[in-house]
Amino acid sequence: MPKYERLHLGELCEIVPGPSGGLLDELSIGIDGVPVISPPDLTDRQAVDTSRIRRVSGETANSLAERFRLRQGDVVLVRQSTTGLGRRALITEEQEGWLFSTSCLRLVVTSDRLLPSYLLHYLGHAPVHRWISNRANPGQAVETLTSRNLSELPVLLPDLESQRALAGALDQINAQLRMHDELSRRLPLLGRAMLTAKLGDARLE
């Protein structure tokens, strides 16, 4: 049998719900300012897609900074969604200082017994995802997970060396999957470009 400790997430992390919607009323794509990570920005590959990310002014960001500004090593988790409950990403140096929206939770690891990278992947483990779904208002139009409910999540903790090895292997798999996704996006475009270059794009009457 694998050896691991069993603790609750609330013993290992500070769990911070996103700011109320009223504090982010000015969210917009068309302004300069500080990016705010929302559920649509989190991909199936545990990454942040910045192509349509919205922002708030620096003044608003500063007013929220004390509690809601993200730091490298935080995990952002979707807590309210019709389709993306449980999507997540590990905050990198690039996203240091960004904010997160009302529909997300910020998980700040406070225990030296848990690696953030391991937590990122642990939250995607099928039994863990079922546990989360079962406690997020099942049957409602919009699934919502509270920070209090999530704090009760059982976390299986191998030793740190095992956590690091497992997270590293899963990171490599995700990197390969992201590369495959990008190729799947680009290759059809290349095919169409080759046909156009050879045959032209005139309409056939």
Side-chain angles (χ1 to χ4, degrees):
M1 291 288 291
K3 293 183 178 180
Y4 48 72
E5 293 183 85
R6 182 186 176 103
L7 297 172
H8 290 112
L9 187 63
E11 300 176 81
L12 301 164
C13 291
E14 179 187 7
I15 304 172
V16 183
S20 66
L23 296 175
L24 296 174
D25 280 344
E26 66 176 89
L27 268 176
S28 174
I29 292 176
I31 65 171
D32 292 329
V34 178
V36 179
I37 297 175
S38 299
D41 306 317
L42 297 173
T43 73
D44 289 333
R45 308 300 187 204
Q46 294 84 59
V48 180
D49 177 6
T50 60
S51 61
R52 298 285 293 172
I53 202 159
R54 297 178 296 170
R55 300 170 185 267
V56 292
S57 67
E59 181 180 357
T60 296
N62 287 336
S63 71
L64 298 172
E66 183 174 351
R67 185 160 176 79
F68 303 112
R69 182 157 283 181
L70 294 165
R71 297 180 177 86
Q72 185 175 0
D74 290 348
V75 173
V76 175
L77 177 78
V78 175
R79 74 175 188 94
Q80 186 178 56
S81 177
T82 56
T83 58
L85 183 74
R87 284 187 182 178
R88 65 217 172 276
L90 183 66
I91 297 304
T92 66
E93 184 178 2
E94 177 187 354
Q95 293 122 22
E96 179 100 22
W98 292 14
L99 303 173
F100 60 105
S101 76
T102 308
S103 299
C104 295
L105 293 168
R106 173 191 180 200
L107 309 182
V108 184
V109 174
T110 55
S111 171
D112 59 8
R113 298 153 83 178
L114 173 64
L115 296 179
S117 55
Y118 173 76
L119 174 61
L120 175 76
H121 294 293
Y122 180 80
L123 290 168
H125 187 36
V128 174
H129 188 71
R130 286 195 297 270
W131 188 98
I132 289 174
S133 295
N134 288 339
R135 286 158 180 80
N137 296 337
Q140 300 298 312
V142 178
E143 294 182 304
T144 302
L145 181 70
T146 67
S147 54
R148 182 174 182 178
N149 281 346
L150 187 61
S151 71
E152 299 171 356
L153 172 69
V155 179
L156 307 183
L157 279 177
D159 61 75
L160 289 176
E161 183 178 351
S162 297
Q163 289 183 41
R164 189 173 292 109
L166 179 57
L170 292 170
D171 284 342
Q172 291 182 20
I173 290 172
N174 271 339
Q176 292 294 321
L177 287 169
R178 284 193 290 269
M179 187 181 301
H180 181 270
D181 290 344
E182 183 63 15
L183 282 173
S184 296
R185 185 185 68 83
R186 291 188 178 190
L187 288 176
L189 299 176
L190 176 61
R192 289 195 291 271
M194 290 175 64
L195 282 167
T196 300
K198 189 68 174 179
L199 304 176
D201 60 356
R203 293 182 61 182
L204 300 178
E205 301 296 341

